[in-house]
């Protein structure tokens, strides 16, 4: 099982969070989280939690990893975005086991990044694929050991094929010019006429070759949950700011905001909305983990509730930040104001494809005993209409 990670508590973890507080402005200015800070997260199981146990991985249940992402996001949304993508190493379970062994040959703490889209045409060769192209949204790529790219492959039957390359074979174009999640370093990646062996490619979201609990956990639901946990952390950061800003006075001479009924009321509403949604979000994740840990497979209803709880917490978190911002005074528009960074980050998780608004429709359909309207919502091998199939995990949903 490998060395046990440090507990996600205590002085060492708090020291890492304190360093993040000191360095988040640095990360934002340069547009990415550097490798030296990523390595400081490794002893806490951030990356090895998604490594197969046979290759040195250490078990960190999803509901605990979500809380870890939340804690980081409470301080800095961009760093939480990069940390959250550590969960995406579960996609690599679809690679041949021999390839996975090579990936983890130097240890379980492997950092993988890479955007799948836009999918690029690949020439089939005797040994694999010859590829050139440019891909977007490779969050965390500046600190990555390996980088994924997406291939158009007719032999994949319409499913997206991903190729994994060592980071030194990929050119990173630092063109990330955004206002929200600026330090996520979601740069473009480029490769030029590279042949990629077939065994280093896999169906993105395809069935895992690893029979361990985390690799039985619904894969796309987990990715949605991790993105939602980022927004949750950002919103908790907004609540922290509001809670400690009651003495703030504007330039008009009006009473401190904490003495204003509308401020107290808005804070209370935001607090209870977020905490209620958070509890359901974590409870569902823990329930599904208990199911897969017992050797069972997540039911269609569990997948639907996992995804529903994720989109709901993402929407609730974004609304909470908006509502707190509107009562916090005009000073928040200053670039140096902490709530300005928070409000710019807050909507980004909500915009991710895994948290699209169609999830409500799909989840509602499943919970009503109907077919979801989005192909792949429940699982890769589940024909639409096969509601009785309990295995609903590894697939790749086709969303914008």
């Amino acid at each position: 099982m490998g060395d046990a990670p440090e507990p996600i508590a205590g002085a060492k973890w708090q020291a890492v969070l304190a360093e993040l507080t000191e360095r988040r402005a640095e990360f934002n200015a340069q547009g990415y989280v550097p490798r030296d800070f990523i390595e400081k997260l490794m002893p806490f199981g951030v990356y090895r939690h998604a490594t197969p146990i046979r290759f040195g991985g250490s078990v960190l249940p999803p509901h605990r990893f979500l809380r870890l992402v939340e804690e980081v996001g409470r301080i800095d949304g961009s760093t939480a975005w990069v940390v959250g993508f550590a969960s995406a190493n579960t996609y690599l379970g679809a690679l041949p086991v021999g390839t996975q062994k090579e990936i983890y040959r130097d240890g379980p703490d492997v950092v993988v990044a890479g955007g799948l889209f836009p999918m690029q045409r690949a020439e089939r060769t005797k040994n694999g694929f010859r590829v050139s192209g440019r891909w977007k949204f490779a969050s965390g790529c500046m600190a990555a050991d390996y980088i994924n790219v997406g291939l158009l492959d007719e032999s994949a039957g319409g499913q997206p094929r991903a190729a994994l390359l060592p980071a030194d074979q990929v050119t990173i174009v630092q063109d990330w010019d955004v206002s929200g999640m600026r330090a996520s370093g979601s740069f473009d990646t480029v490769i030029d006429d590279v042949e990629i062996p077939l065994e280093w490619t896999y169906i993105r979201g395809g069935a895992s070759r690893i029979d361990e609990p985390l690799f039985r956990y619904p894969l796309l639901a987990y990715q949605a949950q991790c993105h939602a946990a980022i927004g949750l952390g950002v919103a908790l950061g907004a609540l922290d700011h509001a809670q400690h800003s009651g003495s703030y006075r504007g330039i008009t001479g009006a009473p401190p905001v904490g003495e204003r009924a509308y401020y107290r009321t808005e804070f209370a509403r935001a607090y209870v909305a977020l905490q209620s949604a958070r509890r359901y979000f974590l409870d569902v994740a823990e329930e599904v983990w208990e199911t897969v840990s017992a050797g069972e497979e997540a039911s269609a209803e569990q997948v639907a509730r996992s995804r529903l709880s994720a989109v709901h917490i993402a929407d609730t978190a974004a609304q909470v930040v908006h509502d707190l911002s509107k009562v916090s005074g005009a000073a928040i528009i200053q670039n140096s104001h902490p709530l300005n960074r928070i409000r710019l980050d807050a909507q980004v998780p909500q915009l991710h494809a895994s948290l699209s608004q169609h999830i409500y429709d799909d989840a509602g359909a499943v919970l009503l005993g109907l077919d979801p309207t989005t192909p792949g919502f429940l699982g890769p091998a589940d024909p639409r209409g096969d509601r009785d199939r309990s295995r609903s995990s590894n697939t790749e949903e086709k969303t914008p």
Side-chain angles (χ1 to χ4, degrees), residues 142-202:
M142 295 294 287
D145 298 303
Y146 291 91
I147 292 178
N148 271 304
V149 297
L151 310 182
L152 285 172
D153 171 23
E154 294 180 0
S155 68
Q159 299 181 83
R161 183 176 292 277
L164 190 68
L165 299 89
D168 60 10
Q169 294 184 19
V170 180
T171 299
I172 295 172
V173 182
Q174 296 188 40
D175 58 350
W176 186 237
D177 184 18
V178 294
S179 54
M181 298 295 177
R182 176 170 171 75
S184 67
S186 301
F187 301 127
D188 286 9
T189 54
V190 176
I191 61 174
D192 183 21
D193 195 30
V194 174
E195 185 173 19
I196 304 169
L198 179 63
E199 62 268 23
W200 284 83
T201 73
Y202 60 101

Side-chain angles (χ1 to χ4, degrees), residues 64-84:
R64 287 186 57 201
F65 183 72
L66 296 174
R67 293 185 65 180
L68 183 153
V69 174
E70 169 197 283
E71 281 195 65
V72 175
R74 201 166 188 161
I75 297 171
D76 183 59
S78 291
T79 304
W81 189 274
V82 174
V83 168

Side-chain angles (χ1 to χ4, degrees), residues 70 74 232 235-237 239-240 243 267-283 312-313 316-317 320:
E70 169 197 283
R74 201 166 188 161
L232 169 58
L236 287 169
L239 279 176
D240 291 341
Q243 192 168 16
F267 174 81
R269 286 174 173 163
Y271 181 91
V272 72
L274 191 65
Q275 293 295 346
S276 299
R278 176 182 182 271
R279 188 66 270 160
Y280 178 61
F281 174 64
L282 294 174
D283 281 351
H312 180 244
I313 193 67
T316 302
V320 160

Side-chain angles (χ1 to χ4, degrees), residues 8 24 34 82 99 128 132 164 215 245 387-388:
I8 309 299
R24 61 191 175 190
V82 174
T99 304
S132 295
L164 190 68
F215 293 85
S245 298
R387 294 190 302 275
D388 296 328

Side-chain angles (χ1 to χ4, degrees), residues 314-378:
D315 287 349
T316 302
Q319 188 64 50
V320 160
V321 175
H322 172 79
D323 292 344
L324 291 174
S325 296
K326 74 183 181 184
V327 297
S328 294
I332 69 171
I333 67 174
Q334 299 175 54
N335 287 331
S336 60
H337 196 285
L339 198 53
N340 183 56
R341 174 181 49 80
I342 289 172
R343 70 189 183 92
L344 292 173
D345 286 348
Q347 192 180 23
V348 181
Q350 190 183 30
L351 299 175
H352 194 271
S354 67
L355 299 170
S356 295
Q357 293 300 293
H358 73 82
I359 301 299
Y360 289 107
D361 179 34
D362 288 315
V366 173
L367 295 176
L368 288 169
L370 304 172
D371 297 337
T373 57
T374 303
F377 178 78
L378 288 178

